[in-house]
Amino acid sequence: HMFGATIASLQVRTCTGSVCTTRSTFTGQQHTALTSAWTQAFVSLPAGTTSVQWVANRGTSFTGDISIDTISITPGGSVPPTGSPTVAPTVAPVTTFTCAFNSPSNTTTTTLTSGFPTSVGTRFWCGMSHTNLWNVDQGGTTPSVATGPSGGQAGTTTDNYAHLETSFGTVGMESVLTTPPLLVNPGGAVLSYY
């Protein structure tokens, strides 16, 4: 969710070891209100991907919060065609990594047969690492006014989500949210997130 007058940018990168490739970039405000519906996005993960990163850059003020929710990585399949952002990808319904930022313990699920190693989550982060301005909001709006969503993607004010808190930091400060270690086997995988 990207509502706020001073939102800078969000990139999604896939990494193989320390080599990362930008797969999508969103710049500026993408939603028109706190109450705007969350937008689902899809990214193809090539074989050999070892992690996914959401790289957010802080804008010029506190009205630049960026939010992420309901992450799912599923083996195989393909990304829906452009113009169909809410159509489910054509994959088997076996989820190998999920994170909705809601459980105080482990919300990571894994399927070893599909090549993803077991991951143990930590409080609300699903085993993900995070730098600088990333936070988990425990329901409702972000602490800043005139930016962010009114609640999590599930549509309740008690639904948690990760967000970039831009009340702090400096203009252009980069903050990275990274999945636990992955191993995407031949056939690739599909990343879905809001």
Side-chain angles (χ1 to χ4, degrees):
H1 200 278
M2 296 175 70
F3 170 68
T6 62
I7 287 176
S9 65
L10 175 69
Q11 294 180 351
V12 178
R13 297 178 184 165
T14 59
C15 302
T16 301
S18 62
V19 177
C20 299
T21 303
T22 300
R23 300 292 174 180
S24 64
T25 301
F26 300 94
T27 303
Q29 179 172 283
Q30 304 292 309
H31 296 87
T32 58
L34 291 168
T35 56
S36 294
W38 288 70
T39 304
Q40 188 173 20
F42 297 96
V43 175
S44 291
L45 305 182
T49 297
T50 57
S51 67
V52 176
Q53 298 179 338
W54 288 262
V55 181
N57 289 296
R58 185 188 183 278
T60 57
S61 86
F62 68 91
T63 59
D65 291 358
I66 296 172
S67 303
I68 303 289
D69 202 359
T70 317
I71 297 167
S72 177
I73 297 175
T74 309
S78 61
V79 172
T82 303
S84 305
T86 59
V87 175
T90 55
V91 296
V94 177
T95 302
T96 55
F97 176 81
T98 60
C99 182
F101 304 100
N102 285 318
S103 175
S105 59
N106 182 16
T107 56
T108 303
T109 59
T110 59
T111 306
L112 294 176
T113 57
S114 57
F116 288 70
T118 302
S119 301
V120 178
T122 56
R123 186 167 177 78
F124 298 108
W125 285 105
C126 313
M128 299 176 76
S129 63
H130 50 94
T131 65
N132 296 329
L133 305 177
W134 282 108
N135 292 283
V136 170
D137 187 73
Q138 297 182 15
T141 62
T142 64
S144 306
V145 296
T147 189
S150 58
Q153 180 271 325
T156 67
T157 57
T158 58
D159 182 32
N160 295 351
Y161 54 92
H163 80 277
L164 185 76
E165 180 49 58
T166 58
S167 296
F168 308 98
T170 57
V171 174
M173 177 182 273
E174 184 177 274
S175 298
V176 182
L177 179 64
T178 306
T179 63
L182 307 172
L183 177 58
V184 176
N185 284 338
V190 174
L191 165 68
S192 166
Y193 69 96
Y194 287 86

